[in-house]
């Protein structure tokens, strides 16, 4: 966590706690980024995002530089207060702060969960389960007065030990690799002294409970007024392993602390690395006229001599929504080099902004970087003063070994709903694109075979899903290819109610959101999106779920998706029925008796049994469960 201050203050003795930044703390020492041996990992597969009509193929992103969880991720939050600082809010208020759709207390633009759903295009659902409040053994002042982070380490061990009897820590190992992904400690009151005591940070422990390692955790203060920046920022360290972006500016929440209540989005380079938006790979031979929406694509130009380490990336950033605090709009370019550790000097950074206003200069202006001014309108490339980028126009922008890049971007348009630009120079006239990949006549020539599927979906307000088998062996026989060839040979589509194929994916990976009529729509909690179907072609299964608070028991929806190979098409027509009432079980003993035949699911949405004919609960380990009425 950082805020804008004069750099001289960092070197001097006038260090004010409310103006300073949080840390990553590894084995008791502050570090700028996790060392190699401590970087968060996630063993789940990361699907590639899809194009929506570009002439160029979207790069397949199979392995990123950072941990890349997908879907619903369960996170644990433990609350602690003190004899000299009592809990300022209730447990239910904290649950809303972290999870409630549209949370707006004290000016917050949504909950922590809303933030990550927004920046991930609905592909990451970070859901926090909250326990507390626990009264610490010592006053808050005792922990704050200890040297370094020994006070927070002491409190961390104390909190873990206290909640061990109530919490099954293994449920927060979402990918079942033996290590939890997200454990948060929220304490009453403000952090007092930077680099000491309980100052907010993402930390490391050697704790092991319920058969899993509790390595990464984060600690956030709760002064009584709600804001989401600190929790969001520290989660970036803890879950994904993103570093602090010093000398970077307001252009990412891992950079400056630009706004506590509506934090800036994660930068598009990190988003593309996660697979939340597509990478579009560019070479020096490409000539193309492009039209893009804000945050839709991340264009990447790799250093051909160091393609796995260094490159330039750019995307359209507009100062609306999560980026409202930014001073301008246009193409935002970044220079990355993963061989550089840390991000704490203005000359060479692991990730830096390429300022449009740096044209013709021998070096970039350190004043354009953190800590001041945060963001400027002249950072962005756009029609007018900064309509192009090339080695001739930007002699200061070179690969870090001093060689020229060979990249040329011209004719950058005026920011609006979309932004246009030319790659390579001498672009052809723009050609309009369509989400339908084939004309109606070519679609008519396909041999279409339908597979009808039915699924009962639990009524749930946390995007719980049911996994449905898509009959891969049958599909392979129809298409005339092997099942393990679907990902390479077959093309995946959504199917509109009129039978039109739609190549635009709007869900997680190869998935879609649908409205009540089965039309493909974008994820929008306040819009028409109702149900989703996220297909995994490798396993030929799909995850079916619904938007919270938009469906009722007994309702039925029909959605369609398809795979095409050659002139053969298999359409999956999925009838989704919303099941009965859903109840969260947090105390097994008190819920021992209930409605006979009700099904029981764990917090990951997997069935674990059902009540007996007499209504008895099956024998289950401690933890939280979901019960769906028969």
């Amino acid at each position: 966590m950082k805020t804008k201050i004069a750099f001289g203050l960092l070197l001097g003795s006038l260090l004010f706690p409310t103006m300073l930044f949080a840390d990553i703390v590894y084995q008791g020492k502050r570090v700028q980024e996790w060392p190699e041996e401590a970087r968060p990992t996630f063993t789940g597969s990361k699907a590639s995002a899809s194009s929506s009509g570009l002439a160029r193929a979207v790069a397949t992103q199979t392995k990123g530089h950072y941990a890349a969880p997908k879907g619903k991720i369960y996170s644990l939050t433990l609350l602690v207060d003190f004899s000299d600082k009592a809990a300022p809010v209730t447990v239910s208020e904290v649950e809303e702060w972290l999870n409630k759709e549209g949370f707006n207390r004290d000016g917050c633009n949504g909950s922590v969960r809303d933030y990550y759903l927004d920046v991930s295009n609905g592909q990451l659902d970070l859901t926090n389960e909250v326990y507390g409040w626990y009264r610490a053994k010592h006053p808050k002042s005792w922990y704050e007065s200890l040297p370094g982070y020994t006070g927070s380490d002491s409190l961390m061990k104390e909190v873990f030990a206290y909640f061990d009897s109530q919490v099954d820590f293994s449920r927060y190992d979402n990918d079942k690799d033996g290590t939890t992904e997200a454990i948060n400690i929220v304490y009453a009151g403000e952090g007092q002294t930077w680099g000491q005591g309980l100052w907010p940070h993402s930390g490391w422990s050697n704790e092991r409970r319920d058969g899993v390692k509790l390595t990464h955790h984060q600690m956030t203060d709760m002064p009584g007024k709600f804001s989401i920046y600190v929790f969001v920022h520290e989660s970036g360290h803890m879950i994904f392993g993103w570093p602090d972006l010093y000398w970077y500016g307001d252009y990412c929440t891992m950079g400056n602390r630009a706004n506590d209540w509506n934090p800036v989005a994660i930068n598009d380079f990190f988003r593309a690395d996660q697979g939340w938006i597509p990478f579009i790979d560019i070479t020096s031979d490409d000539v193309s006229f492009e039209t893009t929406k804000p945050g839709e694509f991340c264009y990447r130009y790799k250093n051909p001599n160091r393609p796995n380490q260094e490159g330039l990336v750019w995307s359209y950033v507009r100062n609306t929504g999560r980026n409202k605090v930014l001073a301008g709009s246009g193409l935002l370019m970044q220079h990355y080099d993963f061989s550089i550790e840390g991000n704490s000097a203005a000359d060479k950074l692991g990730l830096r902004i390429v300022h449009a206003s740096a044209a013709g200069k021998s070096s970039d202006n350190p004043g354009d970087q953190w800590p001041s001014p945060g963001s400027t309108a002249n950072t962005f490339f756009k029609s007018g003063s900064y309509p192009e980028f090339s080695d001739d126009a930007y002699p200061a922008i070179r690969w870090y070994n001093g060689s020229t890049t060979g990249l040329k971007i011209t004719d950058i348009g005026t920011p609006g709903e979309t932004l246009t630009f030319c790659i390579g120079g001498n672009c052809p006239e723009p050609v309009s694109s369509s989400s339908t990949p084939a004309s109606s006549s070519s679609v008519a020539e396909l041999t279409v075979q339908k597979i009808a599927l039915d699924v009962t979906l639990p009524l749930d307000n946390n995007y719980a899903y049911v996994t449905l088998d898509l009959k891969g062996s049958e599909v392979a026989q129809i298409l005339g290819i092997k099942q393990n060839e679907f990902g390479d040979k077959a093309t995946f589509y959504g199917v509109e109610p009129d039978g039109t194929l739609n190549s635009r994916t709007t869900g997680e990976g190869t998935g879609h959101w649908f409205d009540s009529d089965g039309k493909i729509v974008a994820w929008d909690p306040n819009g028409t999106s109702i149900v989703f179907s996220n297909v995994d072609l490798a396993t030929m299964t799909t995850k079916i779920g619904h938007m919270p608070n938009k469906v009722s028991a007994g309702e039925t929806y029909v959605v369609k998706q398809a795979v095409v190979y050659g002139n053969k098409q298999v359409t999956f027509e999925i009838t989704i029925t919303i099941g009965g009432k859903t109840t969260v079980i947090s105390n097994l003993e008190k819920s021992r008796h209930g409605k006979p035949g009700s099904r029981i699911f764990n917090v990951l949405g997997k069935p674990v049994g059902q009540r007996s004919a007499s209504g008895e609960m099956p024998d289950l380990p401690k933890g939280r469960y979901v019960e769906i009425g028969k």
Side-chain angles (χ1 to χ4, degrees):
M1 179 182 71
K2 300 181 288 295
T3 190
K4 292 178 283 188
I5 62 175
F7 184 60
L9 294 180
L10 290 177
L11 301 179
S13 58
L14 301 176
L15 301 178
F16 300 100
T18 57
M19 301 177 69
L20 293 171
F21 47 85
D23 297 300
I24 299 174
V25 179
Y26 178 62
Q27 296 183 342
K29 297 180 179 179
R30 297 193 305 272
V31 294
Q32 293 185 37
E33 60 181 347
W34 293 110
E36 183 67 34
E37 69 273 11
R39 288 180 183 173
T41 60
F42 195 85
T43 60
S45 62
K46 179 169 68 173
S48 61
S50 297
S51 168
S52 62
L54 286 182
R56 174 180 307 104
V58 172
T60 300
Q61 180 74 358
T62 57
K63 181 175 175 56
H65 292 276
Y66 301 102
K70 286 284 188 177
K72 183 177 284 294
I73 299 297
Y74 284 90
S75 178
L76 171 66
T77 294
L78 305 174
L79 308 180
V80 55
D81 72 353
F82 313 90
S83 59
D84 58 346
K85 198 65 178 179
V89 294
T90 66
V91 173
S92 61
E93 287 175 312
V94 172
E95 288 176 332
E96 291 185 350
W97 169 53
L98 299 178
N99 298 315
K100 183 180 178 181
E101 177 186 334
F103 180 80
N104 60 4
R105 284 275 298 274
D106 300 323
C108 290
N109 179 15
S111 61
V112 170
R113 178 169 172 243
D114 282 337
Y115 177 89
Y116 275 108
L117 281 168
D118 283 351
V119 299
S120 71
N121 282 331
Q123 297 181 57
L124 184 80
D125 184 0
L126 182 62
T127 300
N128 268 274
E129 296 182 344
V130 183
Y131 289 81
W133 292 82
Y134 158 65
R135 173 58 57 88
K137 294 180 181 179
H138 305 284
K140 183 171 183 286
S141 57
W142 183 86
Y143 300 95
E144 296 281 16
S145 66
L146 296 178
Y149 281 99
T150 55
S152 63
D153 285 346
S154 177
L155 183 63
M156 174 266 296
K157 293 176 182 179
E158 183 183 327
V159 168
F160 287 171
Y162 173 80
F163 285 106
D164 191 29
S165 62
Q166 304 176 44
V167 173
D168 180 1
F169 286 93
S170 67
R171 80 173 66 185
Y172 307 102
D173 176 10
N174 291 269
D175 60 352
K176 304 306 176 187
D177 68 344
T179 304
T180 59
E181 283 75 46
I183 297 182
N184 317 283
I185 297 174
V186 175
Y187 62 85
E190 291 181 317
Q192 296 299 307
T193 306
W194 170 61
Q196 180 178 329
L198 304 181
W199 190 259
H201 66 280
S202 182
W204 174 273
S205 84
N206 294 314
E207 294 282 309
R208 186 181 183 94
R209 298 183 183 274
D210 295 320
V212 294
K213 298 176 182 178
L214 315 184
T215 52
H216 297 87
H217 64 276
Q218 66 108 339
M219 193 169 283
T220 294
D221 56 357
M222 170 48 69
K225 293 287 187 179
F226 287 102
S227 62
I228 63 175
Y229 168 82
V230 175
F231 201 102
V232 162
H233 176 95
E234 299 305 335
S235 295
H237 291 319
M238 173 181 65
I239 298 173
F240 310 98
W242 293 326
D244 274 316
L245 297 179
Y246 306 128
W247 295 99
Y248 180 89
D250 287 350
Y251 308 96
C252 176
T253 281
M254 303 314 295
N256 284 2
R257 186 174 179 171
N259 189 294
D260 274 359
W261 303 272
N262 183 29
V264 172
I266 301 301
N267 73 78
D268 286 338
F269 179 44
F270 283 3
R271 294 177 70 222
D273 183 76
Q274 290 292 311
W276 296 343
I277 61 174
F279 272 125
I280 307 295
D281 275 332
I282 305 299
T283 72
S284 58
D285 295 327
D286 285 325
V287 176
S288 176
F289 187 88
E290 300 290 346
T291 301
T292 183
K293 298 177 181 178
E296 183 181 24
F297 302 114
C298 183
Y299 294 82
R300 178 172 57 184
Y301 182 81
K302 298 179 181 179
N303 181 343
N305 296 317
R306 305 173 66 231
N308 296 323
Q309 293 181 300
E310 187 179 18
L312 295 169
V313 291
W314 63 95
S315 62
Y316 178 22
V317 173
R318 193 179 186 194
N319 56 353
T320 58
R322 293 291 177 190
N323 290 322
K324 186 176 181 179
V325 71
L326 296 181
S329 303
L331 283 189
L332 182 68
M333 182 175 289
Q334 303 178 74
H335 181 182
Y336 67 88
D337 190 328
F338 282 102
S339 70
I340 298 173
E341 296 183 0
N343 225 61
S344 60
D347 52 353
K348 288 188 177 181
L349 301 174
L351 184 64
R352 68 179 293 210
I353 299 295
V354 175
H355 293 267
S357 56
K361 299 178 181 179
S362 60
S363 63
D364 205 354
N365 180 11
D368 288 340
Q369 305 283 348
W370 181 83
S372 177
S375 72
T376 69
N378 291 338
T379 294
F380 299 91
F381 292 86
K382 54 187 177 292
S383 178
S385 301
Y386 309 109
E388 65 178 72
F389 172 89
S390 67
D391 290 320
D392 290 338
Y394 286 80
I397 310 305
R398 295 285 186 269
W399 301 132
Y400 279 135
N401 67 1
S403 61
T404 58
T405 67
L407 176 64
K408 187 174 185 179
I409 302 174
T410 62
D411 303 304
I412 302 172
T414 301
E417 292 299 319
T418 62
L419 185 67
T420 58
F421 59 94
C422 170
I423 295 172
N426 301 315
C427 283
E429 289 296 319
V431 178
S432 62
S433 61
S434 170
S435 62
T436 303
S439 67
S440 58
S441 60
S442 62
V443 172
E445 296 171 0
L446 291 172
T447 300
V448 181
Q449 187 157 336
K450 182 178 74 174
I451 293 180
L453 301 164
D454 296 278
V455 63
T456 298
L457 190 62
L459 189 64
D460 179 83
N461 62 0
N462 285 304
Y463 295 88
Y465 61 81
V466 171
T467 301
L468 183 63
D469 181 16
L470 295 179
K471 302 182 179 180
S473 59
E474 182 178 341
V475 175
Q477 186 175 11
I478 295 171
L479 297 181
I481 57 177
K482 297 178 181 179
Q483 187 169 340
N484 61 9
E485 296 178 321
F486 287 152
D488 295 327
K489 293 186 176 181
T491 306
F492 175 77
Y493 300 106
V495 182
E496 301 287 3
D498 63 0
T500 303
L501 296 179
N502 190 330
S503 65
R504 179 174 60 99
T505 59
T506 60
E508 177 187 336
T510 45
H512 299 91
W513 278 95
F514 299 88
D515 68 10
S516 59
D517 297 321
K519 183 180 178 181
I520 295 166
V521 294
W523 172 84
D524 185 353
N526 300 312
T528 60
S529 50
I530 300 290
V531 292
F532 65 83
S533 175
N534 294 328
V535 173
D536 184 344
L537 293 177
T539 62
M540 282 305 288
T541 59
T542 188
K543 296 175 180 177
I544 308 287
H546 71 81
M547 183 71 73
N549 306 315
K550 282 197 173 184
V551 299
S552 302
E555 292 179 346
T556 299
Y557 304 93
V558 177
V559 302
K560 298 177 183 179
Q561 292 166 299
V563 287
V564 175
Y565 176 68
N567 64 344
K568 298 176 182 178
Q569 173 182 328
V570 175
T571 297
F572 307 104
E573 184 175 288
I574 306 171
T575 300
I576 302 170
T577 301
I578 307 300
K581 182 180 179 181
T582 302
T583 304
V584 176
I585 298 174
S586 57
N587 188 313
L588 287 172
E589 189 59 36
K590 291 182 179 180
S591 304
R592 185 59 55 188
H593 300 281
K595 186 176 181 180
S598 293
R599 292 179 295 163
I600 311 298
F601 296 78
N602 65 15
V603 293
L604 299 180
K606 296 181 180 179
V608 294
Q610 65 181 48
R611 290 189 182 273
S612 67
S614 60
E616 291 293 317
M617 177 72 77
D619 187 20
L620 297 170
K622 65 179 181 178
R624 290 190 180 185
Y625 298 90
V626 175
E627 179 176 1
I628 300 176
K630 186 176 180 181

